Amino acid sequence: MALNRKVGFFKGLKYKGGGPMWAWVLHRTSGLAMVVFVGLHIIAGFLTQQFGSEAGIAINTIYENDIFQLVIFFLVIFHAVNGLRVVILDLITPLLEYQREAIWLEWLIIMALYSLVIFSVLHDVMMG
Amino acid sequence: MKKITLKLFRYNPETDTKPHYDTYKLEVEPTDRVLDLLEKVKGYEDGTLSFRRSCAHGVCGSCAMRVNGENKLACKTLIQDIKSSKITVEPILGMPVLKDMIVDMEPFFDNYKKVMPYFINDDPKPEKEHIQSIEEQERFDDTAKCILCGACTTSCPSFWANDEYVGPAAIVNAHRFIFDSRDQGAAERLQILNDQFGVYRCRTIFNCTLACPREIEITKAIGEVKKAIATGSLD
């Protein structure tokens, strides 16, 4: 009997698609992470309204944590810039020939924006 | 001569319940190809090893397989181009494995047939050939290079997730006729591809472009088909 065609998550990740494939994987992951972040935000607001501020504050402390902020900002910036890259390449098809250069440009923009976030978060931590 | 360790995916439906890997130590020339290694194992170590091959010169598209985790034609992959001395060969992903490196290509060809990959022209036959300018021919020059090896389709995560997606190879072959000035079936093909399992399943991941042994700009071709559907124009 033939083996099932199913390609599981980890089996798929082992395929060596290189930078563009990892950009797609991270795009999906960052999208999910943002759903979790916004979900926490909504739950915090709901709990505060229903049961008083104690419960809401407990959740707020998770996403107001500096590490959480650094991670979520990276994911939001990546998701936005990578999404723009894909939309631009999809709409202006002749640019698809320069997809490798587009990935480099994308990371340049991400690092520039993210360094501002790092500076801002570190500034807050140091100034208390 | 170079010493290499060759790790091969093995599955025999008559004796195995699940696949396993066999390892072979070989001495090879840097100019040998992965296909030569498979032939060496089949000829001298284990005659039951099964894989497809035909022309052995990168034209027939029979020997697409995963070499060190990446889709390649075994007959076009030189040992000197593989950095590691460990080489793992596995069947292409997303197709049912029949035996060792041999997969069932029927789902692939079913998707291929969906896009009507043949010349459609109901006009009366011209006296000589259908005339076409160089510029008109250049529109589909790239996609006409496809050898139907399946390396692109089986590297595509959208296809791994759902084999009803027609896949990059079928779109490439649709592109070859859609943008052919002599063909008259473009509207019908675009309608077929303007479907939930058509071009919009493409997430612009680029695995197909990187996997193509003929270096076809597949994602670009898919982009041009998407644009033709969205604008209703082939310009």
Side-chain angles (χ1 to χ4, degrees):
Chain A
M1 206 177 96
L3 280 181
N4 192 318
R5 70 169 290 278
K6 195 180 167 214
V7 183
F9 180 71
F10 293 106
K11 198 172 175 185
L13 280 187
K14 280 185 190 164
Y15 184 82
K16 288 190 181 155
M21 187 178 113
W22 283 105
W24 172 74
V25 171
L26 197 52
H27 191 82
R28 290 286 167 115
T29 316
S30 55
L32 277 175
M34 282 190 284
V35 169
V36 172
F37 170 68
V38 174
L40 279 177
H41 198 67
I42 292 168
I43 290 169
F46 172 76
L47 290 177
T48 307
Q49 188 209 24
Q50 294 292 316
F51 307 107
S53 59
E54 293 269 321
I57 286 168
I59 294 179
N60 277 351
T61 51
I62 299 172
Y63 67 78
E64 282 176 0
N65 177 288
D66 293 328
I67 304 288
F68 191 92
Q69 296 263 316
L70 281 172
V71 172
I72 201 73
F73 263 112
F74 172 77
L75 295 176
V76 169
I77 291 171
F78 176 84
H79 197 86
V81 180
N82 188 59
L84 269 178
R85 173 183 67 94
V86 173
V87 168
I88 290 168
L89 290 180
D90 265 349
L91 288 178
I92 312 170
T93 45
L95 288 180
L96 281 161
E97 279 178 40
Y98 306 101
Q99 60 94 4
R100 280 176 197 275
E101 289 81 358
I103 293 254
W104 283 109
L105 182 65
E106 173 189 336
W107 279 105
L108 270 177
I109 295 169
I110 290 169
M111 293 330 285
L113 290 174
Y114 194 54
S115 56
L116 291 176
V117 172
I118 294 173
F119 175 77
S120 168
V121 171
L122 285 181
H123 184 264
D124 283 357
V125 170
M126 284 176 184
M127 295 300 170
Chain B
M1 291 292 260
K2 184 182 173 186
K3 285 183 180 172
I4 60 127
T5 307
L6 184 67
K7 191 173 158 190
L8 299 179
F9 176 98
R10 303 301 304 269
Y11 172 70
N12 183 346
E14 288 170 4
T15 55
D16 301 336
T17 51
K18 57 180 185 177
H20 64 279
Y21 288 85
D22 282 345
T23 305
Y24 303 89
K25 304 259 184 209
L26 300 174
E27 284 203 357
V28 297
E29 296 286 350
T31 49
D32 277 344
R33 305 157 303 167
V34 171
L35 183 63
D36 297 323
L37 272 52
L38 296 177
E39 297 279 23
K40 203 173 262 189
V41 170
K42 188 171 175 68
Y44 298 100
E45 308 258 356
D46 183 355
T48 65
L49 178 66
S50 303
F51 53 91
R52 284 198 182 103
R53 56 92 79 198
S54 186
C55 77
H57 287 81
V59 179
C60 73
S62 302
C63 63
M65 45 191 85
R66 258 180 308 150
V67 178
N68 282 355
E70 214 176 332
N71 280 5
K72 303 262 187 202
L73 284 186
C75 69
K76 275 187 86 175
T77 310
L78 293 173
I79 303 307
Q80 64 191 13
D81 294 335
I82 300 173
K83 284 170 193 150
S84 172
S85 61
K86 289 178 185 165
I87 301 172
T88 305
V89 184
E90 297 161 298
I92 45 180
L93 288 170
M95 305 284 192
V97 176
L98 299 175
K99 191 181 179 193
D100 299 337
M101 310 302 163
I102 299 178
V103 297
D104 179 6
M105 292 292 280
E106 276 310 310
F108 174 82
F109 286 109
D110 287 344
N111 284 330
Y112 172 64
K113 286 173 204 156
K114 278 181 202 165
V115 301
M116 304 191 298
Y118 40 81
F119 187 60
I120 299 170
N121 187 319
D122 296 329
D123 288 348
K125 277 188 183 173
E127 219 169 277
K128 290 184 179 174
E129 72 272 26
H130 289 271
I131 302 295
Q132 188 169 52
S133 71
I134 292 171
E135 290 75 26
E136 284 170 337
Q137 201 271 333
E138 279 173 349
R139 281 303 304 267
F140 62 93
D141 218 7
D142 195 36
T143 45
K145 293 189 298 190
C146 179
I147 54 172
L148 294 171
C149 64
C152 58
T153 295
T154 58
S155 72
C156 174
S158 301
F159 179 78
W160 297 341
N162 192 330
D163 65 351
E164 281 187 73
Y165 168 43
V166 290
I171 302 171
V172 158
N173 283 280
H175 179 285
R176 182 254 171 272
F177 289 101
I178 289 168
F179 291 93
D180 186 337
S181 59
R182 302 162 299 182
D183 187 271
Q184 295 174 341
E188 210 175 331
R189 289 192 192 94
L190 291 175
Q191 201 178 353
I192 291 164
L193 292 171
N194 186 15
D195 177 84
Q196 61 164 324
F197 297 116
V199 282
Y200 295 111
R201 286 258 158 177
C202 168
R203 303 287 188 253
T204 324
I205 303 169
F206 287 104
N207 275 9
C208 53
T209 305
L210 300 176
C212 180
R214 304 285 289 178
E215 292 170 1
I216 299 171
E217 294 280 354
I218 299 174
T219 315
K220 189 178 171 201
I222 297 174
E224 286 175 359
V225 174
K226 279 180 190 171
K227 197 175 165 192
I229 291 171
T231 61
S233 163
L234 299 179
D235 297 329

